[in-house]
Amino acid sequence: MNIPLKLTVLGGLGEIGLNLMLLEWEGQLLAIDAGAMFAAERSGEGALLIPQLRHLGQDGSKLAGVVITHAHEDHIGALPYLLRRFPTPVYGTETTLAFVRRRLAEAGGASTADLRPLAPRSRFSVGPFEVEPIRVTHSTPDSVALAISTPAGIVIHSGDFKIDPDPIDGEKFDHQRFAELGSQGVLLLLSDSTNIERKGRSPSETSLGPTLRELMSRSRGKFFLSAFSSHIHRIRQVAEISHEFGRRVAPLGRRVTESVRIGTDLGHLNLPPGTLISPGEAEFFDPHQLTFVAGGSQGEPLSAMMKLATETHPRVRVNAGDTVVLSSRFIPGNERAIYQLINDLYRRGAEVFYDSVAPVHVSGHAYQDELAELIQLTRPKFFVPIHGEFRHLVRHLSLAMETGIPERNCFLLEDGQSLILKSDDAHRGPSVPADAVVVESGDRMVAEKVPRRTTLGRS
Ligand SMILES: [Zn+2]
Ligand SMILES: [Zn+2]
């Protein structure tokens, strides 16, 4: 094959956030993910960073489609801006597309988008590429990796993943398919580097059950749990345990309420009838009969959790005897706001549990042994670590070498850099501008570029 395949990274390699990568063959482009991240150094809601999109329309190249691996903001957040400039089909699982629809509606552009559902193990074509989604486990339902057949060979993009042996929905990581592709021959593996610093394997999502049960059994009052709103498995888990204890479950906050609706519509929640109630119905129950799933585990200023902590929530109060569980990690940069939130919740008389005092959160990203396992399953010729800060990428590259990929076949790429691939060769290509772009809420795009090394936010 004389015409080489080109891989260009526009975001997500050098920071965790704003993921966007392009595969190009004969001027036809396939984009993988289109994410955003919050600009932590800027105050104000809606100050978002998205990848630099200028490169997309250049050199006469044409975007044939965007394939989305899963519903997290760092993978879908830039779609409204991308589609406005480059209308193109968007492919994702039903769950992912439900969140994409919500994201587009927030930015006022849902109706015109060409959204096409994909399913694990069902191949489809995008330009010259044939894409096969492969089921992985992660902290939002229906997440997939992608095996992309290109004229140069098979490229596997891991998406965000962990290898959860016991997922809440029973939908397991598809070992078999990765292994089959490995025997067939994989040209390139692109793999999630988020948790490369953590030894061993990540705990299963179901491992949270005993802790949540224990905390709920001790709670005399209302039980509050705050997690990322798209973590439908966690919402399901706390709702099922609540049902065991005779508690009804009410969502608090716009995003959590929408996630509960999406989860119910698509069958991910599957709760006994009557388990879910509205916050308005909660007043008919005693405190020990109630669980609230609330948004705002990062201490976001206008979130339900913050309103509860500051006694400004219109319907619900936190009182002595209540239990609050912050079931997510503290994203760096948010610690001050979160500790303030915890202090205020204690002031209301609640008992508060969070990651550093009780095992109330597990990560959705693979640890070292799982990352090595994916490399061993797929046995790629070439390897590029993705989804990480620079230090994560460096460590993941070392792991790949220890796992048997020759050093000359491992490439450390950063945003703006490219790789030229043939079936038996890979080398670095030219760089393109990849400074992140600040967008405000609504559709105003500010002509202001942010040099990568000064961005502090993480999403
Ligand atoms: Zn991600
Ligand atoms: Zn994710």
Side-chain angles (χ1 to χ4, degrees), residues 19 69-75 138-140 143 159-161 192 194 230 364-365 387 459:
N19 296 288
T69 58
H70 66 288
H72 282 151
E73 201 58 26
D74 59 323
H75 300 259
H138 185 45
S139 45
T140 193
S143 298
D160 290 6
F161 79 102
D192 177 1
T194 313
S230 57
H365 296 271
H387 204 280
S459 172

